[in-house]
Amino acid sequence: MFSRIRLKTALKAAAAHLILSIAIAVFCAALVFGFWYPSPFDQLARGREIFLLVMVIDAVCGPLLTFIVFDRKKPRSELWRDLAIIGLIQISALGYGISSLMNARPVWIAFEGDRFRVVSVPDINLNQLHLAPESLQHLSLTGPKLLGVRLATNSDAEFKESIFLALDGVPPAFRPARWIQYEMQVQEIIKTARPLRNLLQKYPMQKSTLDKIAIQNNLHLDRLGYMPLLAEGTLEWTVIIGLEDGKPKAYLALDAWD
């Protein structure tokens, strides 16, 4: 049973713990969204949902446990032991959550024939990473990088296998043996990109948004194209491509498929 005095001191301790938890959450947010999941990949790779779940659990459970156990009448050693156990539990849970976010981070924005695909660490068989060119064997810790993908053709010995793997949920962008430097496919990307007027016909209300993207990149709308952008669980994103350098200029939550 909480006395008025104990309730007051327990609330103060829990409030202090909550402030500390919020400060740690802000630091973690800067790490997660500043490096591993820069916008819009916090949405595309579902980093936002995972982070919020981890932080809510961490910021609620720690202060709540502190509120329950905090009692000035306890021997100092017992009180510190209880608080240390709570801190250890909270740090362990936070470490596990942040580690999970790091291990699920997006590492590539891969051009795959007529689309782009977001590739995250769990999509890749890390045992096959040595099959990629040496320069592509490092998985980014500072947001996804651009990647080219060599598609199998009819003349390739593994053509049928490649089709079966794709049908089984392992598209070429997930296979290190198919990775190549993005710069090697720039001309193909420029040629494949769909004219932006097609997107404007489908989404006329997006004219101002596209105008803003063009101005920010010092390009005319005619010098921008687009392709569908695939990520786990969604087909409704679009990547806007510069037709001069073949690089993504913006990502929009629009369905680019005809």
Side-chain angles (χ1 to χ4, degrees):
M1 188 75 177
F2 277 81
S3 67
R4 182 174 296 181
I5 295 176
R6 186 188 171 193
L7 179 62
K8 184 177 180 180
T9 57
L11 281 172
K12 285 184 178 179
H17 194 158
L18 178 60
I19 291 171
L20 177 60
S21 296
I22 292 174
I24 293 173
V26 170
F27 171 80
C28 291
L31 172 66
V32 170
F33 300 118
F35 292 94
W36 301 338
Y37 295 82
S39 181
F41 299 98
D42 56 333
Q43 300 177 61
L44 282 163
R46 297 184 176 178
R48 184 186 300 178
E49 292 88 343
I50 299 173
F51 178 81
L52 288 176
L53 178 62
V54 170
M55 290 300 110
V56 167
I57 293 173
D58 197 64
V60 171
C61 291
L64 179 60
L65 289 172
T66 294
F67 174 76
I68 292 171
V69 306
F70 196 88
D71 186 354
R72 289 289 188 186
K73 293 181 179 179
K74 287 182 178 181
R76 184 180 294 272
S77 61
E78 181 180 342
L79 179 58
W80 280 108
R81 181 202 64 194
D82 291 346
L83 294 176
I85 291 173
I86 292 171
L88 182 60
I89 292 172
Q90 192 173 11
I91 290 171
S92 298
L94 178 63
Y96 177 79
I98 296 300
S99 175
S100 297
L101 281 162
M102 183 185 72
N103 292 329
R105 71 190 185 278
V107 290
W108 298 115
I109 310 163
F111 171 63
E112 198 180 61
D114 61 350
R115 67 199 69 184
F116 279 75
R117 188 184 298 274
V118 177
V119 182
S120 299
V121 174
D123 298 325
I124 304 165
N125 184 341
L126 298 181
N127 293 326
Q128 297 180 2
L129 199 56
H130 67 281
L131 299 177
E134 186 175 354
S135 60
L136 301 177
Q137 291 179 14
H138 171 72
L139 300 181
S140 172
L141 284 166
T142 55
K145 308 302 181 184
L146 296 174
L147 178 71
V149 177
R150 181 174 54 85
L151 301 182
T153 63
N154 291 331
S155 59
D156 289 343
E158 64 268 32
F159 179 69
K160 289 184 179 179
E161 180 186 4
S162 182
I163 292 176
F164 289 134
L165 284 170
L167 292 174
D168 201 33
V170 188
F174 292 178
R175 303 176 225 155
R178 289 285 167 184
W179 297 352
I180 59 175
Q181 294 288 347
Y182 186 83
E183 290 73 19
M184 296 176 65
Q185 293 189 318
V186 164
Q187 293 307 313
E188 183 180 350
I189 291 165
I190 293 172
K191 182 179 178 180
T192 306
R194 305 173 187 183
L196 206 59
R197 63 177 178 272
N198 294 3
L199 194 64
L200 279 169
Q201 289 175 0
K202 189 174 182 180
Y203 299 105
M205 298 297 291
Q206 295 295 323
K207 178 67 163 57
S208 61
T209 299
L210 295 171
D211 282 338
K212 184 177 179 180
I213 293 170
I215 292 171
Q216 288 174 340
N217 289 280
N218 197 28
L219 292 171
H220 191 273
L221 283 179
D222 290 342
R223 301 309 302 154
L224 293 172
Y226 74 99
M227 286 190 211
L229 175 64
L230 304 186
E232 182 182 0
T234 180
L235 298 176
E236 299 181 354
W237 276 77
T238 297
V239 55
I240 305 300
I241 305 294
L243 297 182
E244 294 184 352
D245 59 7
K247 293 183 178 180
K249 303 302 180 183
Y251 305 92
L252 301 176
L254 301 173
D255 182 359
W257 297 100
D258 296 331

